[in-house]
Amino acid sequence: MKSDGTAVRPAAFDELDRRLVHALQTDGRAPFSRIAAVLGVSDQTVARRYTRHRGSGGLRVLGLAEPRALGEVEWLVRVQCAPDAALTVAEALARRPDTSWVSMMSGGTEITAICRSASSEHSDALLLQKLPRTPRVVGVAAHCLLHEFYGGPQSMISKSGALTAEEAARLSPPAPRRPSEPVELSDADRRLFEALGRDGRAPLAELAAVTGWSPTTVRRRLETLRADGVLYYDVDYDLRLFGFGVMVALWLSVAPAELAATGEALAAHPEVAFAGATTGPHNLFASVLCRDTGGLYTYLTTRVAALPGVRTMESSPRIRHIKGPGPYLTLGPTATRSRR
């Protein structure tokens, strides 16, 4: 904090910071000694850099559950509110355990959020019953996420090139197997994920305390969950430290015959942090990161304009981020985090 009580903005990432973040995105629980060997620096340097940026709010590693491995359904929800009610509704949504990526969009009257439900039959509790009856909510649109072209354990960091392909391969865990049936979590598993959602690098002793297991059991369970594709690690970071100043939600309407090819092409764009096929008139959604509005204009008029089968496009800049992939944290009006 400064003497006047305002927050000090963390320093921008340098080349070593970017390589460290890429390494953590590749394997969020990799020992610092292993990361240091790949980066060509000492263990102490890696630990010091990580501790400094985590302490300043520049980054944090999260352990997250993959919805599809649990048989869950994800919904992209757009909520239209009266201007004086949007922040209150957004914060109420953020406090719910079944929401993530809650943001206020352009104009301050639209909220976007990701909602998760155990199945399509259980989606109506929030989407159909509670939201439309909330005072000052004037409209709700929900789009089921049908297919993810880019996201989950992959992120913008994965496209940064901070690590070479050989360096990333040295840190990459084995590809997860995909069980034929959804994995069921125990109460101890849920407590484990709650702890990992706060700190993906939490020590085994801390995870043992919250689960009631021994450290050895925790380690084995982490390995099993990851091998089954249920657990993955993500780096939540301050976009400004990577030089990104604009984040936009992009809704595209694509001809059905072109949807798969267009989604795959969109996912390969360096500017795209997330891309997925959805239900609704706009059947392809993406989160786009650019340096500034000029960069966004160039992106829309070049890469997006060249995509096959695009009929219409709607773009909505994010003006405030309320909740990310981990537990609900109240962020300041200029705070902005990674991903969707």
Side-chain angles (χ1 to χ4, degrees):
M1 288 284 184
K2 296 180 181 178
S3 58
D4 62 0
T6 58
V8 177
R9 178 174 171 175
F13 290 143
D14 62 19
E15 182 180 358
L16 179 56
D17 292 328
R18 291 169 182 259
R19 286 168 56 77
L20 171 59
V21 174
H22 194 167
L24 291 169
Q25 182 68 49
T26 305
D27 186 352
R29 282 191 75 90
F32 285 150
S33 58
R34 187 171 167 221
I35 294 175
V38 171
L39 300 186
V41 298
S42 68
D43 301 11
Q44 294 82 1
T45 296
V46 170
R48 188 169 56 250
R49 293 276 181 134
Y50 173 77
T51 301
R52 183 174 78 242
H53 286 303
R54 191 178 189 281
S56 68
L59 67 86
R60 57 184 180 139
V61 175
L62 307 176
L64 304 174
E66 170 56 58
R68 279 156 291 280
L70 300 176
E72 295 182 342
V73 176
E74 286 188 291
W75 296 82
L76 281 72
V77 181
R78 307 177 73 177
V79 183
Q80 298 291 334
C81 298
D84 61 346
L87 180 58
T88 300
V89 174
E91 290 179 339
L93 280 172
R95 286 191 291 268
R96 293 182 59 94
D98 56 353
T99 64
S100 60
W101 309 111
V102 180
S103 298
M104 294 177 63
M105 309 306 288
S106 58
T109 59
E110 180 178 316
I111 302 163
T112 62
I114 303 292
C115 300
R116 292 166 59 162
S117 62
S119 67
S120 58
E121 292 81 15
H122 294 85
S123 301
D124 63 339
L126 173 65
L127 304 180
L128 303 181
Q129 296 179 19
K130 295 185 178 180
L131 273 178
R133 298 177 183 178
T134 302
R136 310 293 283 172
V137 169
V138 298
V140 178
H143 309 275
C144 183
L145 182 61
L146 302 176
H147 179 77
E148 189 173 272
F149 294 106
Y150 194 81
Q154 301 172 310
S155 80
M156 290 283 288
I157 301 170
S158 308
K159 300 177 179 180
S160 69
L163 296 182
T164 66
E166 188 273 335
E167 290 171 334
R170 288 170 61 187
L171 287 167
S172 297
R177 56 180 177 258
R178 297 293 182 184
S180 57
E181 297 293 329
V183 175
E184 293 188 14
L185 299 181
S186 66
D187 289 341
D189 286 327
R190 294 186 181 91
R191 293 194 297 272
L192 176 65
F193 274 106
E194 287 176 3
L196 293 172
R198 293 187 294 269
D199 181 5
R201 294 186 64 87
L204 290 178
E206 180 180 326
L207 298 176
V210 300
T211 58
W213 297 330
S214 69
T216 300
T217 300
V218 170
R219 184 179 66 251
R220 287 200 299 262
R221 188 55 175 158
L222 290 175
E223 292 171 352
T224 299
L225 289 169
R226 197 171 192 186
D228 286 342
V230 179
L231 168 65
Y232 70 94
Y233 295 99
D234 190 17
V235 178
D236 188 33
Y237 61 95
D238 189 326
L239 297 175
R240 298 167 299 180
L241 303 188
F242 264 83
F244 296 116
V246 177
M247 186 169 192
V248 172
L250 199 64
W251 300 86
L252 303 176
S253 178
V254 180
E258 301 282 0
L259 181 57
T262 304
E264 291 168 2
L266 185 69
H269 291 176
E271 298 86 353
V272 171
F274 175 85
T278 73
T279 58
H282 294 98
N283 54 358
L284 183 58
F285 171 82
S287 289
V288 173
L289 299 174
C290 294
R291 302 282 176 182
D292 50 32
T293 54
L296 174 62
Y297 174 78
T298 299
Y299 171 68
L300 295 178
T301 56
T302 55
R303 294 185 188 276
V304 175
L307 289 172
V310 175
R311 295 168 170 171
T312 63
M313 177 189 74
E314 179 184 348
S315 57
S316 182
R318 188 174 72 182
I319 61 173
R320 184 170 182 178
H321 191 46
I322 308 297
K323 182 182 182 181
Y328 172 50
L329 298 172
T330 301
L331 302 175
T334 60
T336 180
R337 309 303 296 181
S338 66
R339 312 301 293 275
R340 296 180 192 175

